[in-house]
Amino acid sequence: RMARHALRANSFLNHPDMVGSECRDHSIALRGIEQLFLFDDLLKKKIESDQGDDLFGIDPTLYPVRMTDTFLTPREDLLLWWTGDERDMAIVRLKKCAASTLSSCQPQTEEGSSPTNIANQQLCPPITDLFAALLYSSRSKANAFSDLRSQQMYVANVVAPLCSEYLELMHGEATLLRQRLLSRDTTKSYSGLDEMLTANVLEWISMITGVHMAGHA
């Protein structure tokens, strides 16, 4: 109650300097919203710790009204602004990782991009690890709302675009690997290890493994 009173008294999330068109530094409001989630989670764990292991579960009335439900759920404009920023930041991080790890995001020459060095090939692409981490974080935030509409808005505005972006990046990678495989000169005889083909197969294995693991994230 004291925390809610302090936030209301200072109009933290209503002040134009914090959110809206006059806000010059969105990170202040974003950190404030992040603290709401952390406060709710801390209080929930504290109550569960104090109650111990009860076979009948914890009485729902012991949980106070969540800060997120107090300050975010009633404000659809604020919720849309925040989820939009969450989506943009997640996709930027995903694209940044793709730019440094996926062959399809590398600069293309007239001869095409070179396949990944066999020695550096990983079983699961780093972008899948990042996607799984972002998805876990997004799922945790969506479940932090007790209001179903707020959960649906978060999933629609953040989770769905994040998954679509990951699939688009993987589709681009698969398209490039297929082009490399089809452009290989089958009339040419190869003696010993065909490094181009081996690298292509390893990249296919890595990509398929990554998509499979992402499907279980």
Side-chain angles (χ1 to χ4, degrees), residues 130-151:
L130 176 60
F131 171 73
L134 292 172
L135 189 62
Y136 176 81
S137 175
S138 298
R139 186 185 295 120
S140 299
K141 290 177 180 177
N143 293 333
F145 291 102
S146 60
D147 178 64
L148 180 59
R149 175 170 167 74
S150 297
Q151 291 182 357

Side-chain angles (χ1 to χ4, degrees), residues 32-60:
I33 294 173
E34 194 77 19
Q35 289 302 313
L36 297 181
F37 284 95
L38 294 175
F39 183 87
D40 287 341
D41 185 60
L42 177 65
L43 200 57
K44 179 176 179 291
K45 290 179 179 178
K46 181 68 170 61
I47 292 173
E48 292 173 349
S49 176
D50 291 344
Q51 293 299 310
D53 297 328
D54 191 342
L55 294 177
F56 299 99
I58 298 175
D59 186 355

Side-chain angles (χ1 to χ4, degrees), residues 124 128-129 132 208-217:
C124 180
T128 296
D129 293 332
I208 293 171
T209 302
V211 173
H212 178 74
M213 291 180 66
H216 292 275

Side-chain angles (χ1 to χ4, degrees), residues 2 26 32 42 45 70 85 89 124 128 139 156 170 185 191:
M2 184 174 65
H26 290 170
L42 177 65
K45 290 179 179 178
T70 301
D85 198 271
M89 287 194 299
C124 180
T128 296
R139 186 185 295 120
M170 290 297 100
D185 189 357
S191 59

